[in-house]
Amino acid sequence: MRRVEDDIAYTLLTHDEIYDKVHEVGRKIAEDYRDKNPVFVGVLKGCFMFMADLIRCVDIPCEIEFMAVSSYSGTSSTGAVRIQKDLKGDINGRHIILVEDILDSGITLNYLKNYLKVREPASISIVTLLDKPARRQAPVYSDYHCFEVPDAFVVGYGLDYNERYRNLPYIGVLKPEVYS
Ligand code: IMP
Ligand code: MG
């Protein structure tokens, strides 16, 4: 029987490491946003596992929305961001927290931040599970991130390679032969 694990060269972050860190960041956000009733906006699909774990550690009143964008095909960005699912509700005067799986070139989050700014929210901040600062092209940073990762293509815990490996419960690096 084939398992997703068979394609993983090595584990970068174990499920336990992720769990501990996500709890720490969730509690920090809860402190910072007390009495602000923030709106968590998850960027699909990569955010789904991270968002589900994070939000359970944020024990303050808040709301949850999702957007869907696409910019990637395989392991490299096409540079063009397309909004596939937009927010329905009004965010004017609201505190927005964008939740993404990874900040890589920064093109996606830079685009999204500017796209939402026009609707005049009270604030927009960014929380990402992973940050790959070495790859940054756009002037954007995460206000909260759990881990910095080296410049390798990673999968698991929501992150995909051509839509696969999202179900891996930890973050791993794919075997090179998987790309060919
Ligand atoms: P950016 O626009 O280059 O910052 O990329 C953002 C999106 O690219 C993320 O939300 C991911 O979906 C995808 N991405 C970037 N790096 C990786 C990676 O190492 N593994 C899986 N997806 C990635
Ligand atoms: Mg992706």
Side-chain angles (χ1 to χ4, degrees), residues 94-161:
R94 301 296 304 272
H95 293 280
I96 304 299
I97 304 173
L98 282 169
V99 184
E100 250 282 44
D101 52 1
I102 185 167
L103 185 53
D104 187 35
S105 72
I107 291 169
T108 310
L109 281 173
N110 190 47
Y111 181 90
L112 266 183
K113 214 174 165 178
N114 290 327
Y115 182 80
L116 294 177
K117 235 186 230 166
V118 178
R119 301 180 194 175
E120 301 187 343
S123 67
I124 306 182
S125 67
I126 291 174
V127 52
T128 62
L129 176 71
L130 307 176
D131 191 347
K132 260 190 216 173
R135 302 244 314 163
R136 199 76 83 254
Q137 288 175 39
V140 61
Y141 64 93
S142 45
D143 300 274
Y144 307 91
H145 67 252
C146 299
F147 302 98
E148 271 186 21
V149 290
D151 185 9
F153 197 79
V154 298
V155 295
Y157 198 73
L159 289 100
D160 73 306
Y161 169 63

Side-chain angles (χ1 to χ4, degrees), residues 74-92:
T75 62
S76 63
S77 175
T78 58
V81 181
R82 267 181 308 151
I83 306 280
Q84 293 181 324
K85 174 188 159 27
D86 205 338
L87 295 177
K88 286 208 182 81
D90 187 9
I91 58 164
N92 184 282

